[in-house]
Amino acid sequence: MEYTLQQIARVVDGRVTGDSELVITGMGALSTAQPGQISFYGDPRYLKDLTETHASALIVADLTDLFKGPQILVANPQLAFAKVVALFAPSPSGFTGISSQAFIHATARIGANPTVFPWAYIGENARIGNDVVLFPGVFIGDRAQIGDRTVLHPNVVVLHDCLLGNDVCVHGGTVIGSDGFGFTRQGSAHVKIPQVGMVQIDDQVEIGANCTIDRAALGKTWIKRGVKTDNQVHIAHNVVIGENSIIVAQVGISGSVQLGREVVIAGQAGIKDHVAIGDRVIIGSRAGITASVPADQIVSGFPAMPHRLWLKTRGLIERLPDLQARIKMLEKKILDLEQQRLDKE
Amino acid sequence: MEYTLQQIARVVDGRVTGDSELVITGMGALSTAQPGQISFYGDPRYLKDLTETHASALIVADLTDLFKGPQILVANPQLAFAKVVALFAPSPSGFTGISSQAFIHATARIGANPTVFPWAYIGENARIGNDVVLFPGVFIGDRAQIGDRTVLHPNVVVLHDCLLGNDVCVHGGTVIGSDGFGFTRQGSAHVKIPQVGMVQIDDQVEIGANCTIDRAALGKTWIKRGVKTDNQVHIAHNVVIGENSIIVAQVGISGSVQLGREVVIAGQAGIKDHVAIGDRVIIGSRAGITASVPADQIVSGFPAMPHRLWLKTRGLIERLPDLQARIKMLEKKILDLEQQRLDKE
Amino acid sequence: MEYTLQQIARVVDGRVTGDSELVITGMGALSTAQPGQISFYGDPRYLKDLTETHASALIVADLTDLFKGPQILVANPQLAFAKVVALFAPSPSGFTGISSQAFIHATARIGANPTVFPWAYIGENARIGNDVVLFPGVFIGDRAQIGDRTVLHPNVVVLHDCLLGNDVCVHGGTVIGSDGFGFTRQGSAHVKIPQVGMVQIDDQVEIGANCTIDRAALGKTWIKRGVKTDNQVHIAHNVVIGENSIIVAQVGISGSVQLGREVVIAGQAGIKDHVAIGDRVIIGSRAGITASVPADQIVSGFPAMPHRLWLKTRGLIERLPDLQARIKMLEKKILDLEQQRLDKE
């Protein structure tokens, strides 16, 4: 694929300075772009890369003297570059239509323009929207519903009665609608509490690879519009995640946790059950949350505390041997002072 | 489905007060139940929900004035409710019999009343019990054995020579019998130690979604009767887990760890290799266990310590900046006192 | 299978003392080996097992009086035993050739002596080497390339354009080439940055079960020769892992991290994005790495610190209540001393 700078500028709503008829054949990071390709600069951490790049054109927020080729001026270079990347991305090939080697229950209904690969399975009374892509090994349980333009990557499992909205993307190996972890004791044994709720995933959600999202005990586990999760995230039964929240890899969210909107949870953090996290809260990586957090807080550490306190605290943890030595020294000096006093009296 | 209160009381071994012929059409939590449905009350945390519920009947341990409708008295309301939920749960539909689109090796033997979905695979000399359900994408390796009434959800992998007992349930995407992580160095490279043991899972075990249970290097990795694990749990080679233990999501158990019976491990905890955990030990969430723990202990934190000590300690971690300031102040005061003494002499 | 001690000695490059014609029918650990089987001894932790073993022969580094049967002397008993285990390992049975129930795109090319099980999927223009084994449910995306003798276990997903080398082994349920987690904000919503790079995995790499390795945003995520990972490891986009590194279960490595060669990362550790880890660094279990680590360091804890410091520090964390009490006592004593001074003046 080839585009002129002018064509690219139109896509990203930008203004060209320099040769607008220059032909661009691809894109790359500053450090890897080749002649003929376009790159972008927006973060001063990459200043050195800027001075050394082989890119033929640049997307920038402010014109820069450090680059001699033509530049496209935009408000947000990273956002603009995302659009350029999409321009050059290879279109997914393979099937269109429904493979004769897929299994479709006679009662299932499938919308217009489907792509159903071999070894996909669609259960009884399932409802599949328009322009849906189901890769090999995808399982859609009975009565599950999948919205328009939703893409389920290889070996994704969506169990019975779950609802996925429009423009949802789920990466390979993720399981949606597995039973919540609910047992009640009878002597030393554990009796299963049937998990008869479901999972609802709203429009424009993206779920990473090998995640698990459990169905509710009753009612629903609910991932709201625009949420994005990384890989290997665990979301327990009856959790609610507010709009446009971001959840990084290997986070675990326990049962009945309520997250507000635009929450950010960094990697490997964990949240105790039945806790409420306010809107726009940011939770640091590896934080362990054991109590509710009000809106707009930043918390880190284990046990979790305000992020600024954690920055001070974590430095002191490794200075504990020093603190202990200073306490010992103080004890010795006090003893000396007390002894001297006694000697005098 | 509809049941009278009297019919429900018989199932849960309870006694009705009020209209025993009332017809119940479903069940729900106190906060979500609709008229016509039954709920339960057993935990004072839900007292407010009790006063506001729209449920038409209640399962309780003690009669309550706060609810005006009929009540069923039982010893354990949660356990009783689990049985009611099962009454109303939809029966799984879909196949009975063996799909012509499953692969069954000619030498495999399958018991009575099987449910084998399309895209299931059953290997050479595998043995499948009665009333087993194998969902799409399930892989059963050569010589593996699966007990009666066991259910393997979509894309579960049970590799060669592994043994699963009766009434076992494994949720989607879990891999049982992958190679243990064993290498020995040869210069800077790592030579694989072949993992020739297997995994044995006893009766009434339930394993969550996307877990991994490795086969033993030699001998067996052994999950004993009644164990329940949540999702994304990792169990390494040669681990033994005692009867009725509970393992919450994202826990990692290293090689050759021995767990006693009725152990509880909360979410995201980790256990070092070759450690022994006694009967009925409780391990807190995110605890890091680096040494053996005797029976009946409760441990938490990283490094793990007795839970009561951890409750004190974790509060002090975030007060480290304060402790440091107090040490500085003490050092200053001591210096003053010492100086004053010197001035005097 | 049966071998004489002499035959086994030849395989492990060792020297027999005692009856070299003794017939060996299998192998086992010291504690589980039966008469007729061979075991090995190299670690004094197993001294008690040595004195009680039922094995008929032993592989050792130094002749021992504590065992009465014949012994094979070798330089590295564990390495030798790995070779013996391979001798007795059952050969994988099942298919040879390409199952008629696999899907192979017309444009894909497959090398000599393939084993492609039912329900495997090979995409457009994919290239598969010689002697490759693809178990059921394996997905090979468009244009992906798989080297000679590589084995992909059930339900492994290798997405489009990824490259796997020779003698690679990937365990069940692992996803290679899922999209990196890259979004840019537009108001409160998140716009996806298309991930148009790929994953390259070099020769002799082994990847555990249910891992996730994301494709690069641009360029490649790169796992170099001889790397071994355990289960449930997460490797983000644009990570580079140096030769012969070892990564234990449930580790998470954030975007653009660079690992040197022969790095060891113990279980459940996490590494912040854009950090560089030097050659031969060892990272302790559950460590949280927030900054680059120079070559040849050993680091542990959260926050991570030099391992020796962590050994001191972690003991002090649980003594924080004691340290606090001592500070209180010091404050009281200082107050007394100050008061006494005032009283005097």
Side-chain angles (χ1 to χ4, degrees):
Chain A
M1 278 162 295
E2 293 186 351
Y3 304 92
T4 65
L5 268 192
Q6 191 53 53
Q7 290 175 310
I8 291 175
R10 224 171 280 136
V11 168
V12 300
D13 201 18
R15 188 165 54 81
V16 182
T17 65
D19 177 8
S20 65
E21 291 309 309
L22 183 72
V23 171
I24 298 298
T25 59
M27 81 285 128
L30 286 169
S31 59
T32 62
Q34 299 300 311
Q37 298 187 336
I38 190 168
S39 189
F40 79 108
Y41 173 72
D43 182 339
R45 283 190 295 174
Y46 296 102
L47 188 62
K48 186 159 171 292
D49 290 347
L50 173 64
T51 62
E52 298 172 352
T53 187
H54 298 114
S56 292
L58 222 53
I59 298 175
V60 294
D62 303 294
L63 280 182
T64 171
D65 288 351
L66 297 171
F67 181 78
K68 301 302 170 198
Q71 302 176 35
I72 300 180
L73 276 165
V74 298
N76 179 342
Q78 193 177 27
L79 178 59
F81 192 65
K83 291 174 181 168
V84 174
V85 169
L87 270 186
F88 287 101
S91 58
S93 70
F95 292 89
T96 53
I98 299 177
S99 165
S100 64
Q101 290 155 294
F103 177 92
I104 321 280
H105 195 279
T107 59
R109 272 196 258 148
I110 299 180
N113 192 29
T115 303
V116 181
F117 280 77
W119 334 132
Y121 176 96
I122 303 177
E124 191 173 339
N125 284 312
R127 295 280 171 275
I128 312 293
N130 301 319
D131 304 298
V132 166
V133 180
L134 305 181
F135 275 93
V138 165
F139 174 90
I140 308 285
D142 299 343
R143 299 173 300 282
Q145 299 185 32
I146 310 292
D148 296 341
R149 294 172 303 281
T150 284
V151 177
L152 304 185
H153 285 276
N155 296 342
V156 164
V157 172
V158 179
L159 288 146
H160 61 90
D161 296 297
C162 293
L163 302 180
L164 273 65
N166 300 322
D167 302 297
V168 170
C169 174
V170 184
H171 290 283
T174 283
V175 177
I176 295 170
S178 38
D179 280 353
F181 194 61
F183 297 89
T184 182
R185 287 192 84 114
Q186 193 172 33
S188 64
H190 304 281
V191 177
K192 185 178 178 78
I193 300 171
Q195 305 288 304
V196 298
M198 52 80 149
V199 176
Q200 176 179 325
I201 294 181
D202 291 346
D203 297 350
Q204 294 175 17
V205 168
E206 182 161 343
I207 306 288
N210 279 347
C211 293
T212 53
I213 305 179
D214 280 352
R215 71 178 53 239
L218 293 164
K220 65 187 175 196
T221 304
W222 189 6
I223 316 292
K224 293 189 181 173
R225 183 187 181 90
V227 169
K228 315 288 182 187
T229 92
D230 202 343
N231 301 336
Q232 297 189 34
V233 167
H234 167 66
I235 299 175
H237 49 183
N238 296 82
V239 167
V240 177
I241 301 187
E243 286 85 352
N244 293 323
S245 291
I246 290 276
I247 302 175
V248 181
Q250 295 182 320
V251 163
I253 303 181
S254 304
S256 300
V257 166
Q258 306 259 341
L259 263 71
R261 51 182 299 139
E262 294 168 57
V263 170
V264 176
I265 310 180
Q268 295 187 330
I271 305 184
K272 191 180 167 288
D273 59 290
H274 286 90
V275 147
I277 307 294
D279 294 344
R280 294 170 303 280
V281 164
I282 297 176
I283 296 175
S285 57
R286 298 182 73 79
I289 306 296
T290 55
S292 292
V293 180
D296 297 301
Q297 301 295 303
I298 306 178
V299 294
S300 292
F302 179 51
M305 59 192 82
H307 184 65
R308 285 177 176 218
L309 179 54
W310 170 242
L311 291 180
K312 283 187 213 161
T313 300
R314 73 176 191 185
L316 290 175
I317 289 175
E318 70 179 65
R319 285 170 57 196
L320 275 172
D322 169 56
L323 293 182
Q324 185 197 35
R326 286 159 68 185
I327 291 173
K328 264 193 200 157
M329 176 59 75
L330 285 166
E331 287 169 337
K332 190 179 165 302
K333 287 184 172 175
I334 289 271
L335 207 62
D336 286 351
L337 285 168
E338 289 176 336
Q339 192 56 48
Q340 287 168 24
R341 173 167 309 278
L342 286 177
D343 291 349
K344 251 193 217 163
E345 284 165 9
Chain B
M1 277 164 295
E2 294 185 349
Y3 304 91
T4 66
L5 269 193
Q6 190 54 53
Q7 289 175 311
I8 291 174
R10 225 170 279 138
V11 168
V12 300
D13 201 18
R15 189 164 55 80
V16 182
T17 65
D19 177 8
S20 64
E21 291 309 308
L22 183 72
V23 171
I24 298 297
T25 59
M27 81 287 129
L30 286 170
S31 59
T32 63
Q34 300 299 312
Q37 297 186 337
I38 191 168
S39 189
F40 80 107
Y41 174 72
D43 182 338
R45 283 191 293 175
Y46 296 102
L47 188 63
K48 185 158 171 294
D49 290 346
L50 173 64
T51 63
E52 299 171 352
T53 187
H54 297 115
S56 293
L58 222 54
I59 298 175
V60 293
D62 303 295
L63 281 183
T64 170
D65 288 351
L66 298 171
F67 181 78
K68 300 303 170 197
Q71 301 175 33
I72 300 180
L73 276 165
V74 298
N76 180 341
Q78 194 178 26
L79 178 60
F81 193 66
K83 291 174 180 168
V84 174
V85 169
L87 270 186
F88 286 101
S91 57
S93 68
F95 291 89
T96 54
I98 300 177
S99 165
S100 64
Q101 291 155 291
F103 176 91
I104 321 280
H105 195 280
T107 58
R109 272 196 258 150
I110 298 180
N113 192 29
T115 302
V116 182
F117 279 77
W119 333 132
Y121 176 96
I122 302 178
E124 191 173 339
N125 284 312
R127 296 280 171 275
I128 312 292
N130 302 320
D131 304 297
V132 166
V133 180
L134 304 182
F135 275 94
V138 165
F139 174 88
I140 308 285
D142 298 344
R143 299 173 301 280
Q145 299 186 30
I146 309 293
D148 297 341
R149 294 172 303 282
T150 284
V151 177
L152 305 185
H153 284 276
N155 295 342
V156 164
V157 173
V158 178
L159 288 146
H160 61 90
D161 296 298
C162 293
L163 302 181
L164 273 65
N166 300 322
D167 302 296
V168 170
C169 174
V170 184
H171 290 282
T174 284
V175 177
I176 295 170
S178 38
D179 280 353
F181 194 61
F183 298 88
T184 182
R185 287 191 84 113
Q186 192 172 33
S188 65
H190 304 281
V191 177
K192 185 178 177 77
I193 300 171
Q195 305 288 304
V196 297
M198 51 82 149
V199 176
Q200 176 180 325
I201 294 182
D202 291 344
D203 297 350
Q204 295 174 17
V205 168
E206 181 160 344
I207 306 288
N210 279 347
C211 294
T212 52
I213 305 179
D214 279 354
R215 71 178 55 240
L218 292 164
K220 64 187 175 194
T221 304
W222 189 7
I223 316 292
K224 293 188 181 173
R225 183 188 181 89
V227 168
K228 315 289 183 188
T229 92
D230 202 342
N231 300 336
Q232 297 189 35
V233 167
H234 167 67
I235 299 175
H237 49 182
N238 296 83
V239 167
V240 177
I241 301 188
E243 287 85 352
N244 294 323
S245 291
I246 291 276
I247 302 175
V248 181
Q250 295 181 321
V251 163
I253 304 181
S254 304
S256 300
V257 166
Q258 305 260 340
L259 264 70
R261 51 181 301 141
E262 294 168 56
V263 170
V264 175
I265 310 180
Q268 295 187 330
I271 305 183
K272 191 179 167 288
D273 58 291
H274 286 89
V275 148
I277 307 295
D279 294 345
R280 294 169 303 281
V281 164
I282 297 175
I283 296 175
S285 57
R286 299 182 72 80
I289 306 295
T290 55
S292 292
V293 180
D296 297 301
Q297 301 294 302
I298 306 178
V299 295
S300 292
F302 179 49
M305 59 193 82
H307 184 63
R308 284 175 176 219
L309 179 54
W310 170 244
L311 291 180
K312 283 186 213 161
T313 300
R314 73 176 191 184
L316 289 173
I317 289 175
E318 69 178 66
R319 285 170 57 196
L320 275 173
D322 169 56
L323 293 183
Q324 186 197 34
R326 286 159 69 186
I327 291 172
K328 263 192 200 158
M329 177 59 76
L330 285 166
E331 287 169 336
K332 190 179 166 305
K333 287 185 171 175
I334 289 271
L335 208 61
D336 287 351
L337 285 169
E338 289 176 336
Q339 192 57 48
Q340 286 167 25
R341 175 167 308 275
L342 286 177
D343 291 349
K344 253 195 214 162
E345 285 166 10
Chain C
M1 277 163 296
E2 292 186 350
Y3 304 92
T4 65
L5 270 193
Q6 191 53 53
Q7 290 175 312
I8 292 174
R10 224 170 280 137
V11 168
V12 300
D13 201 17
R15 188 164 54 80
V16 182
T17 65
D19 178 8
S20 64
E21 291 308 308
L22 183 72
V23 171
I24 297 298
T25 58
M27 81 287 127
L30 286 170
S31 59
T32 62
Q34 299 299 311
Q37 297 187 337
I38 191 167
S39 188
F40 79 107
Y41 174 72
D43 182 339
R45 283 191 294 176
Y46 296 101
L47 189 63
K48 186 160 171 291
D49 289 348
L50 172 64
T51 63
E52 299 172 351
T53 187
H54 297 114
S56 292
L58 222 54
I59 297 174
V60 294
D62 303 294
L63 279 183
T64 171
D65 288 350
L66 298 170
F67 181 78
K68 300 304 171 198
Q71 302 176 35
I72 300 179
L73 276 165
V74 298
N76 180 341
Q78 194 179 27
L79 178 58
F81 193 66
K83 291 174 180 168
V84 173
V85 169
L87 270 186
F88 287 102
S91 57
S93 69
F95 291 90
T96 54
I98 299 177
S99 165
S100 63
Q101 291 155 294
F103 176 92
I104 322 279
H105 195 280
T107 59
R109 271 195 259 150
I110 299 181
N113 192 28
T115 302
V116 181
F117 280 77
W119 334 132
Y121 176 96
I122 302 177
E124 192 172 337
N125 284 313
R127 295 282 171 274
I128 313 292
N130 302 320
D131 304 297
V132 166
V133 180
L134 304 181
F135 275 94
V138 165
F139 174 89
I140 309 285
D142 298 343
R143 298 172 302 280
Q145 298 186 30
I146 310 291
D148 297 340
R149 294 172 304 281
T150 284
V151 177
L152 304 185
H153 285 276
N155 296 341
V156 164
V157 172
V158 179
L159 288 146
H160 61 90
D161 296 298
C162 293
L163 302 181
L164 273 63
N166 300 323
D167 302 296
V168 170
C169 174
V170 185
H171 290 282
T174 284
V175 177
I176 296 170
S178 37
D179 280 355
F181 194 61
F183 298 88
T184 182
R185 288 192 83 115
Q186 191 171 33
S188 64
H190 304 281
V191 177
K192 185 178 178 76
I193 300 171
Q195 305 288 304
V196 297
M198 51 80 149
V199 177
Q200 176 179 326
I201 294 182
D202 291 345
D203 298 349
Q204 295 176 16
V205 167
E206 182 161 343
I207 305 288
N210 279 347
C211 293
T212 54
I213 305 178
D214 279 355
R215 71 177 54 239
L218 293 163
K220 64 186 176 195
T221 304
W222 189 5
I223 317 291
K224 294 189 181 172
R225 183 188 182 88
V227 169
K228 316 289 181 186
T229 92
D230 202 343
N231 300 336
Q232 297 189 35
V233 167
H234 167 67
I235 299 174
H237 49 183
N238 296 82
V239 167
V240 177
I241 301 188
E243 287 86 351
N244 293 323
S245 291
I246 291 276
I247 302 175
V248 180
Q250 295 182 319
V251 163
I253 303 180
S254 305
S256 300
V257 167
Q258 305 260 341
L259 264 70
R261 50 182 300 140
E262 295 168 55
V263 170
V264 176
I265 311 181
Q268 296 187 328
I271 305 183
K272 191 179 165 289
D273 59 290
H274 286 90
V275 147
I277 307 294
D279 295 344
R280 293 170 303 279
V281 164
I282 297 175
I283 295 175
S285 55
R286 298 182 73 79
I289 306 296
T290 55
S292 292
V293 180
D296 298 300
Q297 302 293 304
I298 306 178
V299 295
S300 292
F302 178 51
M305 59 192 82
H307 185 64
R308 284 176 177 218
L309 178 55
W310 170 243
L311 291 180
K312 283 186 214 162
T313 300
R314 73 177 191 185
L316 290 173
I317 289 176
E318 68 179 66
R319 284 171 57 196
L320 275 173
D322 169 57
L323 293 182
Q324 185 197 34
R326 285 160 68 186
I327 291 173
K328 264 194 199 156
M329 176 60 74
L330 284 166
E331 288 169 335
K332 190 179 165 304
K333 286 185 174 177
I334 290 271
L335 208 62
D336 287 351
L337 285 169
E338 289 176 335
Q339 194 55 49
Q340 287 169 24
R341 172 166 309 275
L342 286 177
D343 291 349
K344 255 196 215 160
E345 286 164 8

